[in-house]
Amino acid sequence: AYEDFVKETNASIEAKSKDIVEKSEQKAKAEVELVETKEAKEAVMLELEQLSNFNAELHQSCDFVMKNFELRQTARDEEVEALRQAKAILSGAKFEEFLQEA
């Protein structure tokens, strides 16, 4: 009976030791995975921050363009009209006609 008890105890100890080793390996793998995941998260957060900053810069640029669109469009229209008048003058039209329009 004692020998059976010792055998069972030794088998149990051996099984528990193997279980401890397996769980230690699993824990080590999980810790490595955790570190890698945290590093990946930091990289993603940095990229998100950079994208957010880029988005803010684009937003400012677009705001500037939208704010000055009418002014720039008016200036371009005036410039095109001036070029048309210059072309007409150089093509032989009479300058007095343009003075009367203005």
Side-chain angles (χ1 to χ4, degrees):
Y2 176 76
E3 290 175 8
D4 290 339
F5 176 75
V6 169
K7 285 181 185 177
E8 288 176 16
T9 304
N10 287 341
S12 176
I13 290 173
E14 188 175 327
K16 301 283 185 198
S17 294
K18 286 181 182 179
D19 194 36
I20 289 172
V21 169
E22 288 176 10
K23 288 185 179 181
S24 295
E25 289 174 358
Q26 289 175 354
K27 181 182 174 193
K29 288 178 184 176
E31 287 174 348
V32 167
E33 203 174 299
L34 177 66
V35 169
E36 290 172 353
T37 304
K38 283 183 179 179
E39 289 173 357
K41 178 186 171 194
E42 288 177 21
V44 168
M45 294 301 288
L46 178 63
E47 185 178 359
L48 282 174
E49 185 178 343
Q50 290 171 345
L51 288 173
S52 177
N53 292 339
F54 183 66
N55 184 32
E57 290 173 15
L58 282 178
H59 198 345
Q60 285 180 335
S61 177
C62 287
D63 286 347
F64 176 79
V65 169
M66 293 301 292
K67 182 178 177 183
N68 295 310
F69 178 76
E70 292 293 328
L71 180 67
R72 293 174 67 211
Q73 190 173 24
T74 303
R76 294 302 159 261
D77 289 343
E78 291 172 0
E79 190 176 338
V80 167
E81 183 58 33
L83 290 171
R84 283 189 184 134
Q85 290 177 4
K87 181 180 175 189
I89 291 170
L90 293 174
S91 296
K94 295 181 181 176
F95 184 66
E96 292 81 26
E97 292 176 8
F98 294 106
L99 289 176
Q100 291 175 356
E101 287 181 16

XYZ file of all heavy atoms in Angstrom:
816
model
N 0.827 -1.187 0.000
C 0.000 0.000 0.000
C 0.869 1.247 0.000
O 0.584 2.198 -0.716
C -0.889 0.010 1.218
N 1.954 1.201 0.818
C 2.859 2.348 0.891
C 3.542 2.571 -0.448
O 3.677 3.709 -0.900
C 3.885 2.146 2.007
C 4.920 3.247 2.072
C 4.603 4.479 2.605
C 6.213 3.046 1.582
C 5.544 5.482 2.646
C 7.161 4.045 1.619
C 6.822 5.283 2.156
O 7.743 6.283 2.197
N 3.961 1.470 -1.067
C 4.641 1.582 -2.356
C 3.708 2.175 -3.402
O 4.119 3.010 -4.222
C 5.145 0.218 -2.810
C 6.291 -0.305 -1.985
C 6.695 -1.713 -2.389
O 6.177 -2.223 -3.415
O 7.522 -2.282 -1.683
N 2.448 1.761 -3.403
C 1.474 2.321 -4.342
C 1.281 3.813 -4.078
O 1.196 4.611 -5.015
C 0.129 1.595 -4.200
C 0.180 0.166 -4.717
O 1.096 -0.115 -5.535
O -0.675 -0.635 -4.324
N 1.208 4.172 -2.813
C 1.055 5.583 -2.440
C 2.250 6.394 -2.923
O 2.095 7.491 -3.474
C 0.885 5.715 -0.913
C 0.825 7.140 -0.452
C -0.317 7.909 -0.658
C 1.911 7.717 0.192
C -0.359 9.221 -0.238
C 1.859 9.025 0.621
C 0.725 9.794 0.407
N 3.453 5.884 -2.742
C 4.670 6.579 -3.171
C 4.683 6.707 -4.697
O 5.018 7.769 -5.230
C 5.923 5.833 -2.651
C 7.189 6.386 -3.302
C 6.024 5.930 -1.149
N 4.324 5.645 -5.396
C 4.281 5.688 -6.859
C 3.273 6.741 -7.339
O 3.549 7.520 -8.252
C 3.915 4.315 -7.426
C 5.025 3.313 -7.366
C 4.580 1.984 -7.965
C 5.663 0.929 -7.793
N 5.242 -0.370 -8.299
N 2.083 6.735 -6.718
C 1.049 7.700 -7.101
C 1.501 9.132 -6.806
O 1.288 10.042 -7.611
C -0.258 7.401 -6.360
C -0.975 6.171 -6.845
C -2.217 5.869 -6.026
O -2.694 6.766 -5.290
O -2.724 4.746 -6.127
N 2.140 9.300 -5.655
C 2.628 10.627 -5.273
C 3.715 11.092 -6.237
O 3.705 12.249 -6.690
C 3.172 10.615 -3.827
O 2.145 10.147 -2.947
C 3.614 11.986 -3.394
N 4.657 10.220 -6.550
C 5.725 10.573 -7.487
C 5.153 10.890 -8.874
O 5.589 11.851 -9.527
C 6.758 9.452 -7.591
C 7.621 9.368 -6.339
O 7.697 10.317 -5.568
N 8.256 8.223 -6.132
N 4.179 10.115 -9.312
C 3.539 10.363 -10.609
C 2.813 11.704 -10.579
O 2.876 12.487 -11.536
C 2.584 9.236 -10.959
N 2.158 11.962 -9.472
C 1.442 13.229 -9.320
C 2.419 14.400 -9.318
O 2.183 15.425 -9.966
C 0.626 13.220 -8.036
O 0.006 14.458 -7.826
N 3.534 14.247 -8.607
C 4.566 15.301 -8.545
C 5.136 15.540 -9.948
O 5.316 16.675 -10.371
C 5.675 14.947 -7.541
C 5.129 15.017 -6.118
C 6.881 15.855 -7.712
C 6.091 14.521 -5.056
N 5.408 14.462 -10.650
C 5.959 14.580 -11.998
C 4.962 15.272 -12.932
O 5.329 16.148 -13.722
C 6.302 13.184 -12.537
C 7.060 13.221 -13.851
C 7.503 11.837 -14.303
O 7.801 10.980 -13.453
O 7.537 11.639 -15.535
N 3.694 14.895 -12.839
C 2.657 15.515 -13.670
C 2.530 17.004 -13.338
O 2.425 17.847 -14.235
C 1.331 14.805 -13.466
N 2.545 17.319 -12.051
C 2.439 18.733 -11.628
C 3.665 19.523 -12.101
O 3.549 20.672 -12.515
C 2.304 18.843 -10.110
C 1.110 18.139 -9.521
C -0.150 18.906 -9.740
C -1.274 18.190 -9.007
N -2.574 18.574 -9.447
N 4.842 18.903 -12.039
C 6.067 19.577 -12.496
C 5.985 19.867 -13.995
O 6.344 20.966 -14.448
C 7.293 18.716 -12.200
O 7.483 18.586 -10.812
N 5.520 18.881 -14.783
C 5.354 19.089 -16.219
C 4.334 20.202 -16.471
O 4.521 21.041 -17.349
C 4.901 17.799 -16.900
C 5.988 16.768 -17.036
C 5.471 15.525 -17.747
C 6.562 14.460 -17.833
N 6.073 13.235 -18.487
N 3.271 20.189 -15.694
C 2.239 21.212 -15.822
C 2.813 22.596 -15.523
O 2.524 23.560 -16.226
C 1.077 20.881 -14.879
C -0.173 21.678 -15.187
O -0.433 21.924 -16.387
O -0.874 22.066 -14.229
N 3.642 22.677 -14.493
C 4.279 23.946 -14.132
C 5.181 24.428 -15.261
O 5.166 25.602 -15.634
C 5.063 23.815 -12.805
C 4.104 23.692 -11.619
C 6.006 25.000 -12.609
C 4.779 23.364 -10.294
N 5.959 23.515 -15.837
C 6.857 23.862 -16.948
C 6.046 24.362 -18.144
O 6.370 25.390 -18.748
C 7.751 22.664 -17.331
C 8.476 22.925 -18.644
C 8.742 22.362 -16.221
N 4.983 23.648 -18.491
C 4.135 24.047 -19.620
C 3.506 25.414 -19.382
O 3.492 26.269 -20.273
C 3.040 23.000 -19.857
C 3.542 21.702 -20.447
C 2.446 20.652 -20.566
O 1.256 20.997 -20.360
O 2.773 19.489 -20.867
N 3.006 25.608 -18.177
C 2.375 26.895 -17.877
C 3.398 28.031 -17.837
O 3.094 29.147 -18.230
C 1.602 26.807 -16.565
C 0.340 25.980 -16.721
C -0.521 25.965 -15.491
C -1.768 25.139 -15.770
N -2.676 25.077 -14.665
N 4.603 27.731 -17.386
C 5.668 28.745 -17.400
C 6.010 29.136 -18.839
O 6.210 30.319 -19.137
C 6.918 28.227 -16.692
O 6.672 28.022 -15.327
N 6.071 28.143 -19.733
C 6.332 28.423 -21.142
C 5.202 29.258 -21.748
O 5.454 30.222 -22.474
C 6.496 27.120 -21.931
C 7.782 26.386 -21.632
C 7.861 25.025 -22.323
O 6.885 24.635 -23.020
O 8.897 24.356 -22.174
N 3.971 28.890 -21.417
C 2.824 29.646 -21.921
C 2.863 31.089 -21.418
O 2.585 32.030 -22.159
C 1.520 28.980 -21.494
C 1.236 27.677 -22.210
C -0.009 26.983 -21.671
O -0.604 27.418 -20.681
N -0.399 25.895 -22.325
N 3.229 31.256 -20.145
C 3.305 32.597 -19.564
C 4.392 33.412 -20.259
O 4.191 34.590 -20.581
C 3.596 32.509 -18.064
C 3.675 33.865 -17.397
C 4.024 33.748 -15.922
C 4.225 35.134 -15.329
N 4.846 35.102 -14.040
N 5.544 32.798 -20.509
C 6.647 33.491 -21.183
C 6.223 33.925 -22.582
O 6.483 35.060 -23.001
C 7.878 32.602 -21.238
N 5.565 33.014 -23.305
C 5.083 33.354 -24.651
C 4.067 34.495 -24.585
O 4.091 35.418 -25.412
C 4.455 32.134 -25.322
C 5.461 31.089 -25.749
C 4.771 29.888 -26.370
C 5.767 28.783 -26.708
N 5.108 27.574 -27.230
N 3.184 34.437 -23.610
C 2.173 35.483 -23.460
C 2.823 36.828 -23.128
O 2.392 37.872 -23.625
C 1.163 35.095 -22.383
N 3.868 36.808 -22.305
C 4.562 38.050 -21.958
C 5.264 38.641 -23.179
O 5.237 39.860 -23.392
C 5.559 37.810 -20.825
C 4.889 37.611 -19.478
C 5.857 37.236 -18.364
O 7.017 36.900 -18.652
O 5.432 37.278 -17.194
N 5.880 37.782 -24.004
C 6.523 38.250 -25.236
C 5.466 38.852 -26.166
O 5.659 39.927 -26.749
C 7.277 37.089 -25.936
C 7.684 37.465 -27.342
C 8.492 36.686 -25.121
N 4.359 38.162 -26.277
C 3.266 38.640 -27.129
C 2.740 39.982 -26.608
O 2.440 40.885 -27.396
C 2.146 37.595 -27.124
C 1.237 37.665 -28.321
C 0.255 36.509 -28.331
O 0.694 35.340 -28.385
O -0.954 36.788 -28.276
N 2.651 40.118 -25.304
C 2.190 41.366 -24.700
C 3.136 42.514 -25.044
O 2.697 43.602 -25.434
C 2.075 41.216 -23.177
C 1.666 42.470 -22.404
C 0.250 42.879 -22.763
C 1.793 42.229 -20.910
N 4.427 42.272 -24.927
C 5.419 43.310 -25.244
C 5.315 43.697 -26.725
O 5.309 44.883 -27.058
C 6.846 42.822 -24.889
C 7.900 43.753 -25.457
C 7.002 42.694 -23.387
N 5.220 42.696 -27.593
C 5.109 42.978 -29.024
C 3.831 43.757 -29.325
O 3.839 44.681 -30.134
C 5.125 41.673 -29.822
C 6.480 40.981 -29.825
C 6.442 39.601 -30.461
O 5.330 39.103 -30.788
O 7.523 39.014 -30.643
N 2.753 43.390 -28.675
C 1.481 44.076 -28.889
C 1.552 45.517 -28.399
O 1.034 46.427 -29.056
C 0.341 43.317 -28.185
O 0.324 41.972 -28.658
C -0.995 43.956 -28.444
N 2.184 45.733 -27.255
C 2.325 47.102 -26.748
C 3.162 47.954 -27.700
O 2.844 49.116 -27.949
C 2.965 47.091 -25.358
C 2.010 46.696 -24.255
C 2.681 46.775 -22.886
C 1.705 46.411 -21.782
N 2.333 46.461 -20.455
N 4.241 47.359 -28.248
C 5.078 48.087 -29.202
C 4.283 48.422 -30.458
O 4.372 49.532 -30.980
C 6.322 47.273 -29.557
C 7.328 47.173 -28.432
C 8.483 46.227 -28.742
O 8.475 45.589 -29.816
O 9.400 46.142 -27.904
N 3.500 47.460 -30.929
C 2.676 47.694 -32.120
C 1.644 48.786 -31.837
O 1.396 49.648 -32.684
C 1.986 46.403 -32.546
N 1.084 48.759 -30.634
C 0.093 49.776 -30.258
C 0.740 51.159 -30.236
O 0.161 52.133 -30.731
C -0.497 49.459 -28.885
C -1.501 50.494 -28.414
C -1.952 50.237 -26.988
C -2.781 51.397 -26.479
N -2.957 51.366 -25.050
N 1.934 51.263 -29.678
C 2.631 52.541 -29.641
C 2.909 53.047 -31.052
O 2.746 54.245 -31.331
C 3.936 52.417 -28.859
C 3.741 52.270 -27.357
C 5.052 52.082 -26.603
O 6.112 52.451 -27.144
O 5.005 51.569 -25.477
N 3.309 52.141 -31.946
C 3.572 52.527 -33.333
C 2.291 53.034 -34.000
O 2.310 54.051 -34.708
C 4.154 51.347 -34.108
N 1.190 52.345 -33.757
C -0.088 52.755 -34.335
C -0.527 54.104 -33.760
O -1.001 54.973 -34.491
C -1.170 51.670 -34.105
C -2.548 52.194 -34.429
C -0.855 50.438 -34.931
N -0.349 54.283 -32.467
C -0.728 55.557 -31.845
C 0.110 56.706 -32.415
O -0.410 57.794 -32.670
C -0.579 55.484 -30.323
C -1.536 54.519 -29.653
S -3.269 54.882 -29.946
C -3.459 56.342 -28.954
N 1.402 56.467 -32.621
C 2.270 57.479 -33.210
C 1.812 57.811 -34.622
O 1.721 58.988 -34.994
C 3.720 56.989 -33.217
C 4.738 57.941 -33.846
C 4.817 59.246 -33.052
C 6.110 57.283 -33.912
N 1.491 56.772 -35.390
C 1.015 56.997 -36.757
C -0.305 57.773 -36.748
O -0.503 58.683 -37.554
C 0.841 55.672 -37.483
C 0.478 55.827 -38.942
C 0.362 54.510 -39.679
O 0.590 53.450 -39.073
O 0.050 54.544 -40.883
N -1.195 57.440 -35.825
C -2.467 58.163 -35.717
C -2.233 59.631 -35.364
O -2.909 60.518 -35.900
C -3.364 57.512 -34.657
C -4.087 56.252 -35.083
C -4.818 55.638 -33.888
C -5.072 56.538 -36.198
N -1.286 59.877 -34.474
C -0.975 61.255 -34.103
C -0.434 62.018 -35.303
O -0.821 63.171 -35.553
C 0.046 61.266 -32.965
C 0.347 62.648 -32.437
C 1.323 62.631 -31.274
O 1.535 61.578 -30.671
O 1.883 63.702 -30.991
N 0.455 61.373 -36.068
C 1.002 62.019 -37.263
C -0.097 62.295 -38.285
O -0.138 63.369 -38.886
C 2.095 61.147 -37.881
C 3.352 61.077 -37.045
C 4.346 60.039 -37.555
O 4.004 59.182 -38.353
N 5.579 60.133 -37.090
N -0.984 61.334 -38.469
C -2.095 61.525 -39.397
C -3.023 62.638 -38.931
O -3.527 63.423 -39.736
C -2.880 60.224 -39.579
C -2.179 59.130 -40.383
C -2.986 57.842 -40.338
C -1.957 59.571 -41.816
N -3.229 62.709 -37.632
C -4.071 63.769 -37.077
C -3.439 65.139 -37.321
O -4.131 66.094 -37.699
C -4.282 63.547 -35.578
O -5.036 64.592 -35.034
N -2.129 65.233 -37.118
C -1.428 66.493 -37.381
C -1.503 66.860 -38.856
O -1.721 68.025 -39.208
C 0.035 66.404 -36.935
C 0.179 66.317 -35.438
O -0.720 66.695 -34.695
N 1.298 65.803 -34.977
N -1.322 65.869 -39.729
C -1.402 66.108 -41.166
C -2.807 66.566 -41.539
O -2.977 67.486 -42.349
C -1.026 64.830 -41.922
C -1.010 64.981 -43.409
C -0.085 65.797 -44.023
C -1.929 64.305 -44.195
C -0.069 65.945 -45.400
C -1.920 64.439 -45.559
C -0.992 65.256 -46.168
N -3.805 65.946 -40.934
C -5.192 66.328 -41.177
C -5.423 67.784 -40.760
O -6.088 68.538 -41.472
C -6.135 65.394 -40.418
C -7.593 65.684 -40.707
O -7.940 66.095 -41.802
N -8.447 65.469 -39.722
N -4.878 68.175 -39.627
C -5.041 69.561 -39.165
C -4.373 70.532 -40.135
O -4.932 71.597 -40.441
C -4.449 69.709 -37.766
N -3.182 70.166 -40.635
C -2.493 71.025 -41.608
C -3.312 71.156 -42.889
O -3.455 72.259 -43.433
C -1.114 70.451 -41.934
C -0.129 70.545 -40.794
C 1.171 69.804 -41.090
O 1.417 69.460 -42.262
O 1.931 69.575 -40.132
N -3.849 70.035 -43.366
C -4.686 70.080 -44.564
C -5.927 70.930 -44.335
O -6.345 71.683 -45.213
C -5.101 68.665 -44.979
C -4.065 67.827 -45.705
C -4.631 66.440 -45.992
C -3.616 68.482 -46.987
N -6.496 70.800 -43.153
C -7.697 71.559 -42.823
C -7.391 73.058 -42.867
O -8.169 73.837 -43.432
C -8.199 71.148 -41.445
C -9.628 71.521 -41.178
N -10.328 72.416 -41.924
C -10.484 71.100 -40.217
C -11.554 72.547 -41.440
N -11.664 71.747 -40.405
N -6.269 73.471 -42.299
C -5.888 74.880 -42.331
C -5.689 75.343 -43.762
O -6.129 76.431 -44.142
C -4.605 75.107 -41.536
C -4.799 75.068 -40.043
C -3.489 75.296 -39.297
O -2.409 75.041 -39.822
N -3.594 75.774 -38.072
N -5.019 74.516 -44.554
C -4.767 74.865 -45.951
C -6.086 75.013 -46.716
O -6.266 75.976 -47.465
C -3.893 73.792 -46.598
O -3.700 74.062 -47.951
N -6.986 74.075 -46.513
C -8.285 74.145 -47.186
C -9.082 75.357 -46.717
O -9.737 76.022 -47.526
C -9.081 72.867 -46.936
S -8.462 71.452 -47.856
N -9.038 75.642 -45.429
C -9.729 76.827 -44.909
C -9.209 78.089 -45.580
O -9.981 78.973 -45.954
C -9.562 76.934 -43.392
C -10.405 75.919 -42.634
O -11.294 75.296 -43.264
O -10.175 75.748 -41.420
N -7.885 78.159 -45.751
C -7.286 79.328 -46.394
C -7.779 79.450 -47.833
O -8.175 80.527 -48.276
C -5.761 79.230 -46.357
C -5.070 80.341 -47.081
C -4.935 81.585 -46.487
C -4.575 80.149 -48.363
C -4.314 82.618 -47.159
C -3.964 81.181 -49.044
C -3.828 82.424 -48.443
N -7.772 78.322 -48.553
C -8.218 78.341 -49.949
C -9.692 78.738 -50.026
O -10.068 79.573 -50.859
C -7.969 76.969 -50.614
C -8.652 76.880 -51.967
C -6.477 76.717 -50.761
N -10.509 78.155 -49.180
C -11.944 78.473 -49.208
C -12.202 79.932 -48.815
O -13.050 80.595 -49.411
C -12.721 77.540 -48.267
C -12.727 76.087 -48.709
S -13.439 75.809 -50.329
C -15.137 76.197 -50.008
N -11.448 80.413 -47.853
C -11.627 81.785 -47.380
C -11.284 82.786 -48.479
O -11.946 83.809 -48.630
C -10.741 82.016 -46.151
C -10.873 83.384 -45.534
C -9.994 83.485 -44.302
C -10.040 84.873 -43.706
N -9.147 84.994 -42.564
N -10.244 82.499 -49.243
C -9.772 83.435 -50.256
C -10.228 83.081 -51.668
O -9.771 83.697 -52.628
C -8.237 83.498 -50.212
C -7.754 84.073 -48.911
O -8.215 85.112 -48.483
N -6.825 83.387 -48.269
N -11.135 82.120 -51.803
C -11.558 81.670 -53.126
C -12.182 82.790 -53.938
O -11.810 83.019 -55.090
C -12.532 80.489 -53.001
C -13.043 80.003 -54.323
C -12.231 79.238 -55.133
C -14.312 80.329 -54.759
C -12.686 78.791 -56.363
C -14.773 79.885 -55.987
C -13.961 79.114 -56.790
N -13.156 83.496 -53.358
C -13.845 84.571 -54.084
C -12.864 85.660 -54.505
O -12.897 86.126 -55.642
C -14.962 85.175 -53.218
C -16.120 84.233 -52.958
C -16.914 83.924 -54.216
O -17.009 84.795 -55.099
O -17.426 82.792 -54.319
N -11.994 86.040 -53.594
C -11.007 87.080 -53.890
C -10.096 86.637 -55.036
O -9.851 87.399 -55.977
C -10.187 87.377 -52.633
C -9.099 88.433 -52.759
C -9.737 89.800 -53.002
C -8.250 88.459 -51.498
N -9.624 85.412 -54.967
C -8.734 84.901 -56.009
C -9.477 84.751 -57.333
O -8.928 85.035 -58.400
C -8.142 83.562 -55.571
C -7.188 83.701 -54.382
C -6.715 82.370 -53.840
N -5.874 81.728 -54.834
C -5.769 80.409 -54.981
N -6.441 79.609 -54.191
N -5.001 79.897 -55.907
N -10.739 84.319 -57.288
C -11.512 84.155 -58.511
C -11.746 85.510 -59.178
O -11.610 85.639 -60.405
C -12.851 83.479 -58.198
C -13.611 83.060 -59.436
C -14.847 82.256 -59.110
O -15.384 82.361 -58.016
N -15.308 81.471 -60.066
N -12.056 86.524 -58.388
C -12.244 87.869 -58.929
C -10.953 88.371 -59.562
O -10.968 88.930 -60.661
C -12.705 88.833 -57.809
O -13.899 88.318 -57.230
C -12.945 90.222 -58.345
N -9.841 88.154 -58.883
C -8.548 88.590 -59.418
C -8.242 87.871 -60.730
O -7.749 88.498 -61.686
C -7.447 88.340 -58.399
N -8.542 86.573 -60.820
C -8.285 85.830 -62.052
C -9.191 86.319 -63.177
O -8.765 86.437 -64.325
C -8.498 84.317 -61.852
C -7.544 83.643 -60.925
C -6.090 83.794 -61.346
N -5.221 83.571 -60.210
C -4.657 84.507 -59.468
N -4.844 85.770 -59.743
N -3.881 84.216 -58.458
N -10.464 86.593 -62.852
C -11.380 87.115 -63.873
C -10.876 88.450 -64.417
O -10.907 88.686 -65.634
C -12.789 87.281 -63.300
C -13.477 85.948 -63.047
O -13.009 84.921 -63.597
O -14.481 85.934 -62.295
N -10.415 89.322 -63.539
C -9.881 90.615 -63.964
C -8.633 90.420 -64.819
O -8.436 91.107 -65.822
C -9.570 91.497 -62.757
C -10.803 91.959 -62.012
C -10.482 92.666 -60.702
O -9.281 92.797 -60.358
O -11.434 93.078 -60.020
N -7.814 89.484 -64.423
C -6.588 89.211 -65.169
C -6.914 88.676 -66.566
O -6.307 89.092 -67.562
C -5.749 88.187 -64.393
C -4.355 87.983 -64.912
C -3.553 87.031 -64.040
O -3.886 86.848 -62.854
O -2.576 86.460 -64.569
N -7.895 87.760 -66.654
C -8.303 87.210 -67.951
C -8.866 88.323 -68.835
O -8.552 88.409 -70.033
C -9.330 86.071 -67.758
C -9.997 85.698 -69.072
C -8.656 84.856 -67.140
N -9.688 89.182 -68.252
C -10.266 90.289 -69.024
C -9.167 91.225 -69.520
O -9.194 91.679 -70.673
C -11.293 91.053 -68.184
C -11.992 92.171 -68.918
C -12.736 91.693 -70.173
O -13.252 90.554 -70.179
O -12.780 92.466 -71.145
N -8.193 91.512 -68.691
C -7.079 92.369 -69.097
C -6.296 91.721 -70.230
O -5.884 92.406 -71.185
C -6.169 92.651 -67.907
N -6.104 90.417 -70.156
C -5.410 89.715 -71.235
C -6.215 89.746 -72.532
O -5.649 89.899 -73.621
C -5.102 88.273 -70.826
C -4.023 88.102 -69.749
C -3.980 86.658 -69.281
C -2.666 88.535 -70.284
N -7.526 89.605 -72.426
C -8.378 89.686 -73.615
C -8.272 91.070 -74.258
O -8.188 91.195 -75.480
C -9.838 89.400 -73.239
C -10.120 87.947 -73.027
C -11.622 87.701 -72.885
N -11.848 86.300 -72.580
C -12.659 85.852 -71.644
N -13.351 86.705 -70.909
N -12.804 84.564 -71.431
N -8.300 92.098 -73.412
C -8.183 93.459 -73.939
C -6.831 93.665 -74.601
O -6.751 94.253 -75.687
C -8.394 94.482 -72.829
C -9.824 94.553 -72.334
C -9.993 95.529 -71.179
O -9.052 96.218 -70.798
N -11.202 95.587 -70.635
N -5.779 93.159 -73.962
C -4.443 93.306 -74.532
C -4.353 92.559 -75.854
O -3.774 93.079 -76.825
C -3.400 92.778 -73.551
N -4.952 91.394 -75.925
C -4.940 90.621 -77.163
C -5.697 91.360 -78.255
O -5.252 91.422 -79.415
C -5.559 89.247 -76.922
C -5.579 88.362 -78.149
C -6.208 87.023 -77.832
C -6.344 86.192 -79.098
N -7.131 84.998 -78.873
N -6.840 91.939 -77.889
C -7.637 92.675 -78.867
C -6.877 93.897 -79.363
O -6.878 94.200 -80.562
C -8.977 93.084 -78.257
N -6.223 94.589 -78.458
C -5.440 95.767 -78.853
C -4.322 95.357 -79.786
O -4.088 95.982 -80.821
C -4.882 96.500 -77.611
C -6.026 97.158 -76.843
C -3.837 97.535 -78.003
C -5.619 97.698 -75.494
N -3.631 94.276 -79.446
C -2.533 93.813 -80.279
C -3.036 93.247 -81.609
O -2.298 93.228 -82.600
C -1.711 92.754 -79.539
C -0.939 93.269 -78.327
C -0.280 92.108 -77.602
C 0.102 94.303 -78.739
N -4.296 92.831 -81.656
C -4.874 92.307 -82.890
C -5.370 93.433 -83.794
O -5.842 93.175 -84.890
C -6.033 91.362 -82.580
O -5.562 90.240 -81.877
N -5.357 94.670 -83.334
C -5.732 95.802 -84.180
C -7.015 96.477 -83.786
O -7.495 97.352 -84.504
N -7.645 96.103 -82.692
C -8.863 96.783 -82.271
C -8.520 98.185 -81.799
O -7.390 98.504 -81.471
C -9.540 95.992 -81.150
N -9.529 99.031 -81.780
C -9.292 100.417 -81.367
C -9.300 100.514 -79.850
O -10.182 99.988 -79.181
C -10.356 101.332 -81.957
C -10.299 101.398 -83.463
C -11.358 102.325 -83.998
C -11.290 102.348 -85.515
N -12.359 103.152 -86.079
N -8.327 101.200 -79.297
C -8.177 101.348 -77.858
C -9.335 102.129 -77.250
O -9.739 101.890 -76.118
C -6.841 102.042 -77.561
C -6.540 102.146 -76.094
C -6.302 101.018 -75.330
C -6.511 103.387 -75.462
C -6.034 101.109 -73.983
C -6.244 103.481 -74.108
C -5.998 102.340 -73.376
N -9.920 103.045 -78.033
C -11.015 103.870 -77.513
C -12.232 103.035 -77.128
O -12.968 103.375 -76.210
C -11.418 104.938 -78.546
C -10.376 106.007 -78.805
C -9.280 105.539 -79.782
O -9.536 104.645 -80.622
O -8.165 106.066 -79.674
N -12.455 101.913 -77.821
C -13.601 101.050 -77.506
C -13.506 100.510 -76.072
O -14.496 100.396 -75.380
C -13.658 99.872 -78.497
C -13.999 100.275 -79.910
C -13.943 99.091 -80.857
O -13.788 97.944 -80.380
O -14.042 99.309 -82.073
N -12.282 100.188 -75.653
C -12.092 99.631 -74.304
C -12.207 100.700 -73.237
O -12.637 100.408 -72.131
C -10.715 98.944 -74.224
C -10.624 97.735 -75.103
C -9.894 97.780 -76.282
C -11.299 96.578 -74.791
C -9.820 96.670 -77.093
C -11.242 95.469 -75.607
C -10.496 95.520 -76.765
N -11.870 101.919 -73.584
C -11.998 103.006 -72.608
C -13.475 103.290 -72.325
O -13.843 103.608 -71.215
C -11.303 104.276 -73.105
C -9.763 104.227 -73.125
C -9.221 105.512 -73.721
C -9.212 103.993 -71.736
N -14.290 103.145 -73.316
C -15.722 103.406 -73.139
C -16.383 102.321 -72.295
O -17.284 102.593 -71.534
C -16.413 103.479 -74.502
C -15.992 104.708 -75.294
C -16.586 104.700 -76.706
O -17.249 103.742 -77.092
N -16.306 105.758 -77.467
N -15.889 101.043 -72.393
C -16.459 99.945 -71.608
C -16.175 100.121 -70.122
O -17.003 99.850 -69.301
C -15.873 98.616 -72.062
C -16.389 98.148 -73.391
C -15.792 96.827 -73.791
O -15.221 96.130 -72.937
O -15.888 96.472 -74.974
N -14.992 100.591 -69.800
C -14.583 100.688 -68.429
C -15.189 101.854 -67.775
O -16.156 102.123 -67.360
C -13.063 100.859 -68.331
